[in-house]
């Protein structure tokens, strides 16, 4: 398949490099992204007014795409404020203190729980379920909030989502594109998923412990900072019996959500909506019970605090998300129909072009599928480009004579680890927001472990083809 690369593609690549460079240097990327959006729009349309309008339109598009995530995170934070201010959270997490006694146990326990829950219900609902309950326990055990976010992120959005063994949305997309039975892709992905997961999580934990020992990573968290001192764990709001009641009720309600997800086959956005709605009901019930006559006003106050936090966290993310959405279907919505007729979107065009210019062999095939998967993951969804990875894997396997399932699985893993929520900042927002850490800092912490994992996994794939 011949793809025409235009100036739009090269401008997009140049700004990707700039954005990555600014992130590495720990500089803000907002202005870079806005300039990139403007230049791409100007190059496509030739209209100054249209280009200026496209900046606003891109922000509007990004907010629309991210709104459900912003909403559920804001509600979870509001609920967490209620649990913390009334002391329910301390009662609720007390059983876990015996299990999570040190930073190592906290990291691996939270990570493994996140992985298991994410296999059945996907990561975003799992982050909401685990974060509010286990974050304070982990922090008291000495694990920094950033470490908690890394564990939830790498095990959930990384290991669980890249394999997707239970729900099977990801392997179905790649298998269909490659013309393979879905079970073949799942079987081929199992060793690669676990190699990637083991290498990445162990590497991340090594760097985490190293920086904690050096004192370069703070073990304190700001999770409780925005709860007023006079309300934090205030025993006068609820009696000990009431706190114990709610400490049992809250996990029971979330367990009921898990059961409902299983019975009703709710995943993704539907599962997240169920968690969000349950969180609102918990917020209302506890606030009315604890604040009594002031309950109506306090409910609104908690929600306002939650929304303030949500938009404060997402504020720096919206410009970079707006830029990267231009690489996929967002281009037509934001700017218009200005891409070449055969174009499949800027990101997919770049992936196809790369596959067309490299020589064919097992080594090159594995490296190319990892690279193509990673490139298509830059749009932040992880899923939009995996069909392309499946198609390219099929082409390479036909030329090599074998390895279609392995190549397909490799492209799927690379795309989801990069775009599904471990490297692209706006894709890892749920874990960062629940743990109240900077998503860009979380992306930087994940970068080296994920890159090492991708290199090792690619090498392993070469021997399995």
């Amino acid at each position: 398949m011949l793809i025409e690369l235009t100036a739009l593609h090269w401008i997009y690549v140049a700004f990707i490099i700039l954005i990555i460079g600014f992130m590495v240097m720990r500089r803000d990327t907002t202005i870079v992204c806005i300039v990139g959006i403007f230049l791409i729009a100007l190059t496509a349309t030739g209209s100054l007014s249209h280009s200026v309008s496209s900046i606003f339109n891109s922000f509007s598009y990004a907010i629309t795409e991210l709104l459900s995530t912003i909403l559920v995170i804001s509600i979870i934070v509001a609920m967490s404020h209620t649990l913390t201010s009334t002391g329910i959270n301390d009662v609720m997490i007390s059983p876990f203190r015996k299990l999570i006694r040190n930073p190592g146990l906290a990291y691996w326990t939270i990570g493994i729980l996140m992985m298991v829950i994410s296999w059945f219900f996907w990561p975003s609902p799992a982050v909401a379920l685990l974060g509010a309950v286990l974050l304070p326990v982990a922090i008291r055990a000495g694990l920094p909030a950033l470490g908690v976010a890394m564990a939830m992120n790498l095990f959930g959005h990384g290991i669980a989502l890249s394999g997707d063994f239970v729900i099977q949305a990801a392997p179905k997309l790649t298998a269909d594109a490659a013309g393979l039975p879905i079970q073949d892709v799942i079987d081929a992905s199992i060793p690669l998923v676990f190699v990637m997961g083991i290498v990445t999580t162990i590497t991340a934990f090594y760097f985490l412990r190293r920086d904690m020992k050096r004192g370069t990573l703070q073990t304190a968290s700001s999770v409780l900072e925005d709860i007023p001192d006079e309300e934090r764990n205030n025993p006068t709001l609820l009696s000990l019996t009431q706190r114990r009641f709610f400490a049992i009720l809250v996990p029971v309600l979330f367990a009921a959500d898990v059961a409902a997800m299983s019975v009703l086959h709710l995943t993704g956005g539907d599962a997240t909506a169920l968690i969000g709605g349950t969180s609102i009901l918990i917020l209302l019930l506890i606030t009315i019970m604890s604040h009594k006559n002031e309950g109506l006003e306090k409910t609104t106050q908690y929600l306002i605090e939650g929304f303030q936090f949500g938009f404060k966290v997402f504020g720096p993310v919206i410009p970079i998300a707006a830029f990267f959405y231009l690489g996929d279907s967002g281009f037509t919505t934001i700017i218009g129909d200005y891409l070449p007729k055969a174009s499949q979107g800027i990101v997919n065009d770049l992936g196809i072009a790369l596959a067309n210019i490299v020589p064919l062999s097992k080594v090159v095939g594995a490296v190319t599928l990892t690279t193509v998967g990673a490139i298509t993951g830059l749009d932040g969804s992880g899923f939009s480009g995996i069909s392309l990875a499946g198609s390219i894997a099929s082409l390479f396997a036909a030329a090599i004579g074998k390895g279609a399932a392995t190549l397909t699985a490799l492209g799927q893993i690379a795309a989801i680890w990069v775009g599904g929520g471990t490297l692209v900042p706006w894709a890892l927002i749920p874990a960062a927001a629940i743990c109240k850490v900077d998503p860009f800092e979380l992306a930087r912490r994940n970068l080296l472990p994920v890159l090492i994992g991708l290199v090792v996994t690619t090498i392993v794939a070469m021997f399995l083809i």
Side-chain angles (χ1 to χ4, degrees):
M1 180 187 301
L2 294 178
I3 293 294
E4 177 189 357
L5 295 184
T6 65
L8 293 174
H9 296 84
W10 297 118
I11 293 173
Y12 190 81
V13 169
F15 274 89
I16 287 177
I17 295 171
L18 280 174
I19 290 168
I20 293 173
F22 272 67
M23 287 182 177
V24 170
M25 293 186 295
R26 298 174 180 265
R27 301 302 302 272
D28 193 89
T29 60
T30 297
I31 293 177
V32 179
C33 294
I34 292 173
V35 173
I37 294 167
F38 176 78
L39 288 180
I40 289 174
L42 185 63
T43 303
T45 66
S47 168
L48 182 60
S49 62
H50 194 152
S51 303
V52 173
S53 299
S54 294
I55 297 173
F56 178 84
N57 290 337
S58 68
F59 277 42
S60 176
Y61 182 89
I63 291 172
T64 301
E65 292 294 310
L66 295 170
L67 187 57
S68 62
T69 303
I70 297 173
L71 182 61
V72 74
I73 292 301
S74 300
I75 291 169
I76 291 291
V77 169
M79 182 198 70
S80 297
H81 285 186
T82 310
L83 295 175
T84 304
S85 68
T86 56
I88 294 171
N89 197 63
D90 275 345
V91 178
M92 188 165 58
I93 64 179
S94 58
F96 295 98
R97 288 174 180 154
K98 296 180 180 179
L99 178 63
I100 301 177
R101 299 187 301 272
N102 57 57
L105 284 173
Y107 177 88
W108 295 107
T109 300
I110 290 174
I112 291 171
L113 284 173
M114 180 72 184
M115 178 180 68
V116 172
I117 294 175
S118 297
W119 270 332
F120 290 91
F121 308 114
W122 277 15
S124 293
V127 168
L129 283 168
L130 287 180
V133 177
L134 294 186
L135 175 62
V137 184
I139 290 171
R140 287 177 172 84
L143 184 66
L146 188 59
V148 179
M150 290 173 67
M152 291 197 295
N153 199 221
L154 296 176
F155 281 88
H157 291 86
I159 299 174
L161 192 60
S162 66
D164 199 11
F165 300 135
V166 178
I167 298 172
Q168 299 183 359
K172 177 173 175 54
L173 287 172
T174 48
D176 288 349
L180 297 171
I182 186 172
Q183 193 59 46
D184 288 0
V185 175
I186 292 174
D187 292 342
S189 71
I190 289 173
L192 299 180
V193 167
F194 284 103
V195 167
M196 179 71 187
I198 291 169
V199 171
T200 303
T201 54
I202 290 177
T203 304
F205 183 67
Y206 168 78
F207 289 131
L208 188 65
R209 289 303 299 264
R210 181 199 65 185
D211 291 344
M212 288 172 63
K213 289 178 180 178
R214 290 178 177 177
T216 58
L217 186 61
Q218 294 181 350
T219 57
S221 171
S222 62
V223 173
L224 304 181
E225 286 179 358
D226 45 7
I227 302 296
D229 290 337
E230 66 272 15
E231 290 189 5
R232 187 180 293 124
N233 301 328
N234 188 339
T236 64
L237 294 176
L238 291 174
S239 68
L240 179 59
T241 301
Q242 289 174 319
R243 279 181 279 162
R244 286 174 175 170
F245 170 75
F246 283 113
I248 295 172
L249 179 63
V250 171
V252 167
L253 289 176
F254 282 127
D257 283 350
V258 172
M261 293 175 201
S262 179
V263 172
L264 301 176
H265 305 290
L266 300 179
T267 60
D270 292 334
T272 301
L274 181 61
I275 296 297
T278 301
S279 299
I280 292 176
L281 294 178
I282 292 171
L283 166 66
L284 294 175
L285 182 60
I286 293 176
T287 306
I288 294 297
M289 286 287 293
S290 60
H291 294 283
K292 299 182 174 59
N293 289 337
E294 297 180 358
L296 297 176
E297 289 73 21
K298 284 292 184 179
T299 298
T300 302
Q301 179 183 327
Y302 283 128
L303 285 173
I304 290 172
E305 290 171 355
F307 284 118
Q308 285 175 334
F309 172 80
F311 280 94
K312 180 179 178 180
V313 170
F314 275 84
V317 175
I318 289 170
I320 189 172
F323 173 80
F324 277 99
Y325 279 134
L326 291 178
D328 194 40
S329 57
F331 186 96
T332 302
T333 304
I334 295 167
I335 297 177
D337 190 11
Y338 290 96
L339 290 171
K341 290 184 179 180
S343 175
Q344 299 182 26
I346 293 176
V347 167
N348 285 347
D349 289 350
L350 292 169
I352 294 172
L354 176 63
N356 286 337
I357 63 175
V358 296
L360 300 180
S361 68
K362 288 199 302 183
V363 173
V364 172
V367 172
T368 303
L369 260 298
T370 299
T371 305
V372 168
I375 289 174
T376 60
L378 290 174
D379 69 347
S381 75
F383 276 72
S384 65
I386 58 177
S387 293
L388 171 64
S391 299
I392 293 175
S394 178
L395 293 173
F396 272 57
I400 298 170
K402 56 182 177 179
T406 300
L407 288 171
T408 300
L410 182 61
Q412 170 183 306
I413 290 168
I416 292 178
W417 271 88
V418 171
T422 67
L423 289 187
V424 179
W426 63 93
L428 44 75
I429 276 289
I434 288 293
C435 297
K436 295 194 175 181
V437 298
D438 181 1
F440 294 95
E441 180 61 26
L442 178 56
R444 283 191 287 266
R445 297 288 311 188
N446 287 345
L447 179 60
L448 189 55
V450 171
L451 290 180
I452 293 172
L454 286 173
V455 170
V456 174
T457 305
T458 303
I459 293 171
V460 171
M462 295 174 188
F463 292 95
L464 296 177
I465 293 175

